[in-house]
């Protein structure tokens, strides 16, 4: 028996008991006649003591050789600590060691295995197995497990069954790029790794499964960022005989359950807004509503003077920054430079200070009088002491730029408290969006999303105005889930493919299996998928997902620990009928 107890469970009730522990040496302190060592495992830390007067000399001498991260087993007696540590669960006791076995020695780690480490991200990614020993990463993975268990228990209790779907599937042209897998048995042909189990979960509904879920790996070969990985995990769900309201109620219940059980937060009824409202008030379709700074459209009160910048703009829009009228000219100039960065793309910014005495001074006083500026304040919701910031130009681009500025200011002002949770539903998305490069419409969600029944006639006359029977769940400015009511009949699905630019032959080649299935009694159905990594990170109080994934990739999509992706042997390439161009 390697251990009778773990390193986090012993306390004063165990005093005088003989115990056996095993784990890693966190650190040692040698006073010559006394040696202390902190022994660590997943559960906590227990202090060991080797006393020259009470410990066998062989054991004492061996203890003097211990280094950081040595794996050891000890036997001894639980005794009361003279200097108690109230910050440790085991802080009232220590182990007077009688036997010591070194199970494995360790080289000096490349960074300290402490909560606050001296290792940079690159070195910690390379030695991820050591990073996992640190409490922040370990606790994130334990939290991920807890989220997964709460999800499984909740959905199972609601009658859902978990079904595994294939990982080797067919490549499709819609959406992000697929990762492809060559088939040795079928020369020149390829599988794709799934971007989601979308068609399979729909087929499960055709198969009568009624309520399905799966915590499933998905893959997308696309550009990366802090909250995106080439392989990621979804909570994938589908239900039969449902309308949009049924889906929203079910998964609002799941989200509320997670917030309550994991964070002790009663979120109440989630607010809802349409896509158009979200874009108009916040400039994006996943608004962070933990704070205000809602957009105020100023065209009517800013385009009646001789200020050509505003007069020639499709949209003039501003926000009121709370308490920022005290900003110096240097601080405001820095914000102007911030919005002019290529990542944002504005050409400039107008500002107005709403002073505490009620007066308003602007950077365009030459063109606008006090009454004009008072109207700006009313429309943006500014109060005395606030700073009004105004952008103008193309409507879509201007909203996007002001949205970026709003989020930046909220971060600077400390308004994005990770312990505050503000969920909402965004509904009524456009069904289609125009792509300038390909000069055709693409599905905003995916080609199986049902249009709103009352908008179907618009497919012939104004396809860009058709609304989708789709919904996103947003939490703290992040889309954590999205879904739709699906098309469940062959005729409507064929019409959808037509407006996405598929010929009948292309549609049949790519999705014939699904359209065939719809001929055999497909029920009305819909679903939703949560981004599990992102949801877990937000619930864990973080913006990025890496620490909630055991072995993540870096920003280049590489696993620097195992050095993947990598070249493969020419013999393997020959078997797969693949030739690789030399770089």
């Amino acid at each position: 028996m390697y251990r009778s107890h773990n390193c986090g469970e012993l306390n004063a009730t165990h005093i005088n008991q003989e115990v056996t522990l095993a784990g890693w040496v966190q650190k040692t302190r040698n006073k010559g006649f006394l040696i202390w060592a902190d022994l660590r495992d997943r559960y906590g830390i227990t202090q060991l003591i080797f006393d020259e007067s009470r410990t066998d000399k062989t054991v004492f001498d061996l203890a003097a050789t211990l280094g950081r991260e040595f794996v050891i087993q000890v036997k001894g007696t639980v005794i009361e600590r003279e200097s108690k540590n109230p910050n440790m669960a085991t802080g009232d006791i220590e182990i007077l060691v009688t036997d010591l076995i070194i199970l494995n020695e360790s080289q000096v780690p490349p960074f300290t295995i402490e909560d606050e480490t001296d290792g940079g991200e690159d070195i910690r990614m390379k030695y991820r197995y050591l990073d996992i020993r640190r409490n922040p990463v370990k606790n994130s993975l334990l939290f991920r497990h807890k989220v997964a268990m709460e999800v499984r228990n909740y959905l199972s209790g609601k009658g859902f069954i978990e079904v595994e779907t294939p990982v080797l599937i067919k490549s499709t042209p819609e959406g992000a790029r697929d990762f492809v897998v060559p088939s040795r048995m079928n020369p020149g042909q390829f599988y794709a790794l799934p971007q989601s189990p979308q068609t399979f979960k729909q087929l499960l509904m055709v198969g009568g499964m009624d309520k399905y879920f799966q915590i499933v790996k998905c893959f997308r070969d696309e550009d990366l960022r802090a909250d995106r990985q080439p392989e990621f995990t979804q909570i994938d769900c589908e239900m039969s005989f449902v309308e949009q309201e049924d889906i929203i109620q079910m998964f609002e219940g799941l989200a509320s359950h997670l917030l309550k059980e994991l964070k002790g937060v009663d979120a109440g009824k989630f607010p809802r807004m349409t896509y158009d409202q979200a874009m108009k008030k916040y400039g994006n379709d996943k608004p962070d509503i933990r704070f205000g700074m809602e957009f105020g459209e100023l065209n009517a009160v800013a385009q009646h003077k001789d200020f050509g910048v505003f007069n020639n703009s499709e949209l003039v829009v501003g926000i009121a920054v709370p308490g920022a009228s005290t900003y110096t000219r240097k601080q405001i100039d820095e914000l102007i430079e911030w919005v002019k960065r290529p990542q944002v793309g504005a050409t400039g910014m107008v500002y107005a200070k709403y002073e505490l005495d009620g007066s308003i001074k602007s950077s365009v006083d030459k063109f606008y009088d006090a009454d004009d500026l008072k109207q700006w304040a009313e429309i943006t919701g500014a109060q005395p002491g606030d700073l009004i910031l105004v952008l103008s130009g193309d409507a879509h681009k201007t909203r996007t730029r002001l949205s970026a500025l709003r989020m930046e200011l909220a971060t600077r002002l400390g308004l994005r408290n990770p312990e505050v949770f503000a969920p909402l539903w965004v509904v009524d998305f456009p069904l289609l969006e125009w792509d300038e490069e390909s000069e055709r419409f693409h599905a905003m969600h995916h080609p199986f999303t049902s249009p709103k029944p009352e908008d179907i006639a618009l497919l012939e006359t104004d396809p860009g105005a058709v609304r989708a029977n789709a919904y996103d769940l947003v939490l703290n400015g992040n889309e954590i889930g999205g879904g739709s009511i699906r098309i469940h009949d062959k005729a409507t699905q064929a019409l959808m493919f037509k407006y996405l630019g598929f010929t009948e032959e292309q549609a049949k080649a790519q999705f014939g299996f699904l359209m065939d299935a719809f001929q055999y009694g497909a029920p009305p159905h819909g679903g939703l998928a949560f981004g599990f990594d992102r949801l877990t990170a937000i619930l864990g109080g973080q913006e990025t997902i890496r620490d909630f994934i055991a072995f993540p990739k870096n920003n280049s999509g590489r696993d620097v620990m195992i050095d993947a992706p990598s070249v493969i042997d020419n013999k393997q390439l020959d078997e797969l009928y693949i030739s690789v161009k030399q770089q």
Side-chain angles (χ1 to χ4, degrees):
M1 181 175 66
Y2 278 109
R3 56 188 179 186
S4 61
H5 298 78
N6 65 53
C7 294
E9 67 177 295
L10 297 174
N11 54 51
T13 65
H14 297 93
I15 289 174
N16 296 324
Q17 287 189 25
E18 297 291 322
V19 298
T20 303
L21 300 179
W24 288 264
V25 175
Q26 178 81 9
K27 59 184 176 182
T28 61
R29 301 174 297 284
N30 192 332
K31 295 294 185 182
F33 58 93
L34 285 175
I35 300 172
W36 288 276
D38 289 343
L39 187 66
R40 184 193 72 244
D41 65 9
R42 193 189 98 187
Y43 308 95
I45 292 176
T46 298
Q47 180 170 282
L48 313 177
I49 183 170
F50 303 85
D51 185 339
E52 191 174 45
S53 64
R54 293 181 287 174
T55 302
D56 179 84
K57 184 177 187 306
T58 303
V59 173
F60 188 85
D61 290 345
L62 187 59
T65 70
L66 295 177
R68 284 180 177 265
E69 301 308 307
F70 276 38
V71 186
I72 64 172
Q73 180 191 44
V74 297
K75 294 181 181 179
T77 304
V78 181
I79 63 174
E80 187 175 3
R81 275 176 74 159
E82 291 186 11
S83 299
K84 295 180 172 58
N85 185 345
N87 297 318
M88 289 176 59
T90 61
D92 290 340
I93 58 93
E94 59 190 359
I95 309 301
L96 178 61
V97 178
T98 55
D99 292 294
L100 168 64
I101 299 174
I102 296 177
L103 300 172
N104 213 337
E105 296 183 355
S106 173
Q107 295 183 32
V108 176
F111 54 88
T112 55
I113 313 298
E114 304 277 358
D115 289 5
E116 298 295 330
T117 184
D118 57 358
E121 185 172 327
D122 289 344
I123 194 74
R124 289 188 291 110
M125 289 277 280
K126 183 175 181 180
Y127 296 94
R128 182 64 167 181
Y129 45 86
L130 297 179
D131 202 27
I132 289 172
R133 295 181 190 174
R134 297 192 311 114
N135 282 328
V137 181
K138 177 198 74 176
N139 290 338
S140 292
L141 296 180
L142 292 176
F143 184 73
R144 181 188 178 99
H145 162 75
K146 190 174 181 181
V147 177
M149 291 304 296
E150 290 292 343
V151 168
R152 282 195 164 94
N153 291 338
Y154 182 89
L155 292 176
S156 296
K158 295 293 184 181
F160 286 77
I161 60 167
E162 187 164 12
V163 181
E164 293 180 345
T165 52
V167 175
L168 295 175
I169 66 168
K170 184 176 187 175
S171 182
T172 59
E174 287 293 311
R177 293 184 182 88
D178 290 324
F179 282 101
V180 294
V181 180
S183 171
R184 182 180 61 84
M185 300 296 290
N186 300 276
Q189 296 186 320
F190 297 81
Y191 298 105
L193 301 181
Q195 296 183 34
S196 83
Q198 180 62 45
T199 54
F200 290 100
K201 66 181 179 180
Q202 291 190 247
L203 292 171
L204 286 170
M205 297 303 101
V206 177
M209 288 291 96
D210 196 66
K211 292 180 180 178
Y212 140 95
F213 85 99
Q214 185 180 188
I215 299 180
V216 58
K217 277 282 188 185
C218 303
F219 307 85
R220 291 179 187 171
D221 188 7
E222 58 186 350
D223 295 337
L224 306 178
R225 56 179 186 242
D227 62 345
R228 181 179 288 169
Q229 291 272 301
E231 54 179 308
F232 58 97
T233 305
Q234 284 186 179
I235 308 167
D236 200 60
C237 308
E238 198 80 1
M239 302 168 67
S240 291
F241 302 109
V242 290
E243 297 176 332
Q244 177 174 295
E245 189 62 29
D246 301 306
I247 301 286
I248 287 177
Q249 291 295 332
M250 176 63 70
F251 295 106
E252 183 169 318
L254 172 58
S256 295
H257 174 80
L258 294 175
L259 286 167
K260 184 69 173 177
E261 293 300 315
L262 299 169
K263 305 302 294 186
V265 171
D266 185 353
K269 185 75 175 171
F270 294 6
R272 301 183 193 181
M273 66 179 68
T274 66
Y275 171 86
D276 287 343
Q277 289 170 335
M279 296 302 294
K280 189 169 184 177
K281 291 173 66 175
Y282 300 101
N284 68 61
D285 57 6
K286 46 182 184 295
D288 191 336
I289 59 171
R290 284 174 292 181
F291 55 94
M293 288 196 279
E294 294 182 7
F295 290 11
E297 296 193 358
L298 303 172
N299 290 46
V301 296
Q303 292 183 324
H304 66 293
K305 296 292 180 74
D306 294 328
F307 188 49
V309 173
F310 285 174
N311 292 342
N312 297 325
S313 296
E314 183 182 2
L315 177 68
V316 183
V317 62
I319 56 173
V321 185
S325 68
T326 57
Y327 275 24
T328 64
R329 180 58 188 267
K330 182 179 179 181
Q331 287 175 295
I332 294 173
D333 285 345
E334 191 274 327
L335 286 176
I336 293 172
E337 290 304 311
W338 191 89
V339 299
K340 290 167 70 174
R341 298 179 313 148
Q343 301 95 313
V344 181
T347 56
M349 182 167 66
V350 169
Y351 68 88
K353 289 185 174 186
Y354 195 170
E355 304 291 2
L356 290 173
D357 64 7
S359 64
I360 306 179
K361 302 293 183 184
S362 80
S363 58
V364 286
D365 280 349
K366 178 180 177 181
F367 300 97
Y368 297 96
D369 58 29
D371 289 338
D372 294 324
L373 298 178
K374 282 284 188 182
Q375 290 182 297
W376 292 17
E378 289 174 11
I379 292 171
T380 59
Q383 300 296 316
D386 292 352
L387 175 68
I388 302 169
L389 300 177
V390 182
L391 295 180
S392 63
D394 170 84
H396 177 74
K397 291 179 180 177
T398 300
R399 288 190 177 107
T400 300
R401 290 161 181 162
L402 191 59
S403 176
L405 177 61
R406 175 179 179 269
M407 295 297 283
E408 174 67 16
L409 286 164
T411 300
R412 296 186 186 192
L413 295 170
L415 301 177
R416 302 180 67 195
N417 184 348
E419 292 304 313
V420 174
F421 297 94
L424 78 149
W425 290 99
V426 179
V427 299
D428 291 355
F429 285 83
L431 181 71
L432 306 169
E433 57 184 345
W434 182 258
D435 180 68
E436 295 289 348
E437 187 174 328
S438 61
E439 295 187 335
R440 68 180 180 91
F441 282 106
H442 289 261
M444 180 168 268
H445 283 74
H446 53 62
F448 316 110
T449 296
S450 172
K452 290 274 188 179
E454 60 270 30
D455 288 359
I456 289 179
L458 292 173
L459 281 170
E460 290 286 355
T461 58
D462 189 5
V466 179
R467 294 170 299 162
N469 215 335
Y471 34 81
D472 279 359
L473 181 55
V474 176
L475 181 61
N476 294 2
N478 294 271
E479 177 202 331
I480 60 167
S484 64
I485 299 299
R486 323 301 186 189
I487 297 168
H488 68 278
D489 65 281
K490 183 175 180 179
T492 305
Q493 188 64 72
L495 188 65
M496 183 67 170
F497 286 142
K498 172 187 172 183
Y499 285 103
L500 290 173
F502 288 83
T503 65
E504 286 188 29
E505 293 74 18
Q506 289 171 330
K508 184 172 180 58
Q510 293 293 334
F511 302 109
F513 64 94
L514 184 65
M515 297 176 76
D516 287 346
F518 285 170
Q519 298 178 103
Y520 293 94
H525 59 282
L528 179 143
F530 287 90
F532 182 61
D533 308 299
R534 190 177 302 171
L535 171 64
T536 303
I538 295 170
L539 291 175
Q542 302 293 324
E543 286 285 327
T544 58
I545 64 177
R546 283 185 190 160
D547 279 353
F548 294 85
I549 299 173
F551 299 102
K553 307 292 190 293
N554 67 11
N555 281 342
S556 300
R558 295 197 65 81
D559 186 326
V560 295
M561 183 183 67
I562 64 173
D563 192 26
S566 62
V567 297
I568 62 174
D569 186 85
N570 284 333
K571 183 178 179 182
Q572 284 182 280
L573 291 173
D574 290 342
E575 288 178 338
L576 296 169
Y577 303 92
I578 293 175
S579 61
V580 177
K581 293 181 179 180
Q582 297 298 321
Q583 296 295 319

